[in-house]
Amino acid sequence: MNRRTLLASALALPLAAPALAQGFPSRPIRILVGFAAGGSTDVFARSMAPRLQALLGQPVVVENRPGAGGNIATEATARSAPDGYTLLLGTIGPLAINPTLYGNLPFDPLTDLTAITLVGEVPNVLAVPADRPWRSVAEIIAAARARPGTLNFGSSGVGSAGHVAGEQLNLMANIQTTHVPFRGGGALMPELLAGRVDFAFTTALNAIPQAEAGRLRVLAVPNATRVSLIPEVPTVAESGLPGFDGMDWAALMGPRNLPAPILAQLNQAATAVLREPELVQNMAGRRLVLMPTTPEEASAFLRAETARWAPVIRASGARPD
């Protein structure tokens, strides 16, 4: 099942009311976020937390643990007790990219974590500061070829979707630009606005308002097809690099060996929240797409994404430092 088919089928799932696992929860639940406040992952977590709290009857607290491309929060979740009280709002980076990028992680997302549900797609855009002359992907490529190694691109962290999209651009366009990682999308944006990085694959959530204010220029989306929430923006593939695909996403995870009744309750509560019309509308206003799934669908998606990105990362020569 490909990614688009999976997302379409997930959106067609019926709404289910959570069934209570025996005695769970009886104390507060933590959702770890591996990036600083202000980015899309943090927005997902903080939008879900109060709604999960209302359904589960216990406090749901979001805890930011930025660092190492999301690996710190991911490892903490993997090492936590399998009781449902420590969860992770993870992203494509630590869940599907970093195992290949780092090569020696102390955890394996596919075996040391339990997929609860996909949470949403995070539409990214290729954006440049307003003072840069480029108005297309082709013009960025031409500038990079004219001055090899002098242009740089920012990202929300090592192993993030923005990082590997930039490396994919280097690889497919046969150019050399330098990666500059930041501790989350919130930290990246001021640097991009100030022109201290030349371009970035960053979230539409952060970039579109700045583009509307005239401080950034949005040139393309890295997805295989145009994004429904910003249909006027062409894809990188349309802009001269056929096959370019760098969709970003987030998932709700727990430690491995999460008991089946607790997994079922967390999935039912989370997917109920992700289908709330008010939240769907709110996230669409931020150009974020919710996509609740079953645990099995989420697990299959993670395996497919890990396999898809591994050869890209190896071919690009990207390193965590």
Side-chain angles (χ1 to χ4, degrees):
M1 181 181 292
N2 63 37
R3 289 184 297 161
R4 301 296 169 185
T5 302
L6 172 57
L7 300 191
S9 65
L11 293 174
L13 290 173
L15 178 66
L20 294 178
Q22 186 67 34
F24 176 83
S26 60
R27 54 188 172 87
I29 295 171
R30 295 183 304 161
I31 299 179
L32 304 186
V33 173
F35 302 94
S40 57
T41 314
D42 189 64
V43 168
F44 277 139
R46 294 186 186 277
S47 298
M48 292 177 68
R51 292 170 168 85
L52 286 171
Q53 179 171 313
L55 282 177
L56 296 172
Q58 289 289 338
V60 178
V61 180
V62 177
E63 182 179 323
N64 296 88
R65 290 199 188 179
N71 291 340
I72 292 174
T74 306
E75 182 179 359
T77 305
R79 293 181 179 275
S80 67
D83 53 16
Y85 291 102
T86 299
L87 307 178
L88 173 74
L89 204 302
T91 65
I92 186 175
L95 296 180
I97 292 171
N98 288 356
T100 301
L101 182 66
Y102 283 79
N104 59 347
L105 290 177
F107 62 88
D108 181 344
L110 297 180
T111 59
D112 294 333
L113 295 171
T114 299
I116 297 169
T117 178
L118 295 181
V119 170
E121 178 183 353
V122 184
N124 280 347
V125 296
L126 173 56
V128 301
D131 65 355
R132 296 303 196 271
W134 315 308
R135 296 185 177 276
S136 68
V137 177
E139 290 182 7
I140 291 179
I141 292 171
R145 286 175 177 167
R147 297 181 291 151
T150 60
L151 269 62
N152 60 33
F153 71 93
S155 81
S156 61
V158 172
S160 66
H163 175 198
V164 295
E167 298 290 358
Q168 190 175 16
L169 181 66
N170 281 339
L171 184 65
M172 294 183 67
N174 194 26
I175 58 176
Q176 296 177 4
T177 64
T178 302
H179 176 226
V180 182
F182 295 91
R183 291 169 69 89
L188 163 64
M189 188 51 58
E191 303 301 308
L192 182 62
L193 291 170
R196 286 187 281 271
V197 292
D198 294 305
F199 66 93
F201 288 92
T202 187
T203 63
L205 165 72
N206 289 333
I208 295 297
Q210 300 295 344
E212 292 172 344
R215 293 188 282 267
L216 289 181
R217 191 177 304 115
V218 168
L219 304 184
V221 296
N223 298 45
T225 60
R226 293 199 183 200
V227 177
S228 61
L229 297 178
I230 43 174
E232 71 280 6
V233 181
T235 66
V236 174
E238 289 178 280
S239 305
L241 293 177
F244 196 102
D245 184 4
M247 187 184 95
D248 195 3
W249 46 265
L252 185 64
M253 310 291 291
R256 67 178 173 183
N257 298 326
L258 202 59
I262 292 177
L263 173 59
Q265 184 175 343
L266 288 171
N267 173 265
Q268 290 167 6
T271 55
V273 163
L274 294 171
R275 293 183 184 285
E276 288 184 10
E278 180 183 0
L279 184 61
V280 172
Q281 183 176 4
N282 180 278
M283 292 294 100
R286 299 173 184 234
R287 296 172 176 86
L288 297 171
V289 182
L290 301 180
M291 50 188 203
T293 66
T294 67
E296 294 78 14
E297 288 171 325
S299 180
F301 183 88
L302 266 60
R303 288 195 300 272
E305 286 289 276
T306 301
R308 185 175 78 88
W309 279 110
V312 174
I313 296 160
R314 292 189 187 107
S316 74
R319 295 291 184 270
D321 55 358

